[in-house]
Amino acid sequence: MIKRIFISCLCLVIFGIYAQKPKPNLDKNKPNVIFIYADDLGYGDLSCYGATKIKTPNLDKLASQGVRFSNAHCTSATCTPSRYALLTGEYPWKKEGTGILPGDAALIIPTNKTTLPKLFQQAGYKTANVGKWHLGLGDQVAKNWNGEVKPGPNEVGFDYSFIFPATADRVPTVFMENHKVVALDTDDPIEVNYKEKVGNDPTGKEHPELLKMKASPGHGHDNTIVNGIGRIGYMSGGKKARWVDEELSSTFLVKAKEFIEENHKKSFFLYFALTEPHVPRMPATIFRGKSGLGYRGDAILQLDWTVGQIMKQLETLGISQNTIIIFTSDNGPVLDDGYEDEAVTHLNGHTPSGIMRGGKYSVLEGGTRIPFIINWPKTIKPKVSSAMVCQMDLLASFSNLFDLAIPKGDAPDSKNTLDAFLGKSEKGRDILIEQGGNTSGKGGILAIVKNNWKFIPPNNEINVQSSVNIERGNSKEPQLYNLNEDLGEKNNLAQKFPEKVKELSELLNKETKKL
């Protein structure tokens, strides 16, 4: 009897100790996460990555206090597929219709699968998407822009969304907040068409004298003129809703800062998709002429300033120590991408891809090896990492950080490389498949990298994309490069190491035949 009483009392004491112990405040312990996505920014475009003709002090500071990766990649050399992979954890070449989308495309992100923002929602985060979208809206091409347009960002995991639908050189040139066009006048309804002209707005092809930025031939930027710039696609109506190019960046910055301010006392995830330095490059007046590299260089200065403003806000709110900032780009750089804006004539010795060949649209390293910085002062020690990492792996890595399981079949290609992301290990991915080309469907030119050996299979496609003067990395002969010794991919070793060619060729075929 006495023994029973003693055991009961002991249990009550133990229970009391645990009952009185305060529960950890998960919102305070979990880091805020801000993912900042530049658009068409190259590996050599930042001074912390070796640029000497331009200075990016805010990003340099971010890199000096965090992990700067020298072997980080997007999956693809163009924007839509890279963004698809980031949010879904799936190689985009596995799915039809993940090439560069027109502005009226239907949503290509599945609403019934785990996505990066849905993972954060599951972990108790408030989520937001501010900036460029370019992943489609609605369930079909034909849509009513004058009502609610959905599904979209809200249906794939974002509690709040403030975007433009596609990219700045495509119509419709309007902001959308959640499901609706901002400042829409119902008496001036919007119509969008990518096949034939709608309405009476002048086009760049018909009235080049109205353009304040001349379009390069062969790019399609000669349709409806908005703000003195010809766009891809036709649009009518929505005059009051149309944005001004010079105010794009500042508008997105204001919305991003508003979200941070409103949610800084709880855990939040912000996907902040910048427009710089994508065309049409029309930086705010205070940045024009400051870089000496034309509007493209000025846009990079504007991008760096924008990142600095976010960093200052986090300091002011007292949340910088436990906020993860991830900065990267959706693909490699391009100079002349549809407008004559002095990006080529004012290059001034700047090398946007660094020592690498290729750029946007290319399966060479210049297409997918991009700047990648992770800053988390509370946890990460500053270093430069050579681990091979990919944006697509953030989904599985945050899943590991939050101890949340990903349902079978979701995010099939995302790998847990959390230790590499946090600078704790130089072990990243074992294998990466890189997608080049400007493809509108499944496939495209693929290359495979394993242990810093890269294999590009032979193909008969054109090698230089003349419209942008970028080498795409195509050849009728197999290509093999040792990236440890030859990051510029100048010395093709395929004939010297036929067994390595055979090994990587078979591995690439095995991976792509899993479809």
Side-chain angles (χ1 to χ4, degrees), residues 137-393:
L137 295 168
D139 53 15
Q140 59 184 12
V141 171
K143 55 181 69 74
N144 177 16
W145 294 98
N146 308 290
E148 285 197 326
V149 181
K150 58 183 182 180
N154 302 92
E155 284 68 40
V156 301
F158 291 107
D159 298 310
Y160 175 75
S161 172
F162 189 95
I163 62 170
F164 57 53
T167 189
D169 60 347
R170 287 164 170 75
V171 298
T173 53
V174 296
F175 293 120
M176 296 191 70
E177 191 165 29
N178 297 321
H179 298 121
K180 294 185 177 181
V181 172
V182 175
L184 178 68
D185 181 355
T186 55
D187 293 328
D188 185 25
I190 295 172
E191 186 177 357
V192 174
N193 196 306
Y194 272 73
K195 294 182 178 180
E196 57 187 15
K197 184 180 178 181
V198 293
N200 298 315
D201 287 76
T203 67
K205 185 176 182 179
E206 297 168 339
H207 294 282
E209 74 280 2
L210 299 178
L211 299 173
K212 64 182 181 184
M213 181 180 287
K214 187 177 179 181
S216 304
H219 287 261
H221 294 99
D222 59 357
N223 298 156
T224 300
I225 298 174
V226 179
N227 190 31
I229 300 173
R231 315 286 167 161
I232 297 175
Y234 300 99
M235 174 182 177
S236 67
K239 294 294 194 297
K240 293 180 180 179
R242 298 184 186 187
W243 37 250
V244 176
D245 294 75
E246 294 86 341
E247 297 177 357
L248 275 178
S249 185
S250 59
T251 301
F252 286 142
L253 176 60
V254 166
K255 289 298 179 180
K257 292 179 71 174
E258 284 179 355
F259 174 78
I260 294 171
E261 175 70 35
E262 291 169 4
N263 295 280
H264 76 277
K265 293 185 179 179
K266 46 191 154 185
S267 298
F268 65 81
F269 168 63
L270 171 62
Y271 172 71
F272 189 21
L274 308 180
T275 66
E276 298 96 343
H278 195 283
V279 297
R281 300 157 186 143
M282 191 57 63
T285 305
I286 60 172
F287 296 104
R288 291 188 196 171
K290 299 296 183 182
S291 69
L293 303 179
Y295 279 2
R296 184 177 186 274
D298 299 343
I300 293 173
L301 294 184
Q302 181 170 272
L303 175 155
D304 182 72
W305 177 85
T306 299
V307 174
Q309 293 302 298
I310 295 294
M311 293 167 66
K312 287 179 181 179
Q313 183 187 22
L314 299 178
E315 290 283 354
T316 300
L317 294 174
I319 59 174
S320 61
Q321 290 298 305
N322 199 31
T323 297
I324 300 174
I325 298 179
I326 303 170
F327 176 87
T328 187
S329 176
D330 63 347
N331 50 249
V334 59
L335 297 178
D336 180 3
D337 203 20
Y339 300 96
E340 296 180 6
D341 60 1
E342 301 179 335
V344 176
T345 58
H346 285 58
L347 190 56
N348 194 29
H350 178 59
T351 53
S353 293
I355 67 170
M356 293 177 289
R357 287 166 60 195
K360 185 176 182 178
Y361 311 114
S362 174
V363 77
L364 296 166
E365 288 298 285
T368 61
R369 189 179 294 229
I370 35 74
F372 197 101
I373 300 165
I374 298 184
N375 181 293
W376 186 8
K378 181 180 177 181
T379 300
I380 289 178
K381 295 180 179 180
K383 68 175 293 186
V384 176
S385 174
S386 61
M388 184 167 71
V389 296
C390 181
Q391 298 165 3
M392 179 173 62
D393 297 329

Side-chain angles (χ1 to χ4, degrees), residues 88-89 113-115 119 122 392-400 403-412 414-416:
T88 65
K113 298 283 188 179
T114 302
T115 62
L119 181 75
Q122 189 179 351
M392 179 173 62
D393 297 329
L394 288 170
L395 208 163
S397 299
F398 275 110
S399 172
N400 183 39
D403 196 23
L404 293 173
I406 298 176
K408 187 176 181 180
D410 291 3
S414 187
K415 307 298 182 184
N416 173 25

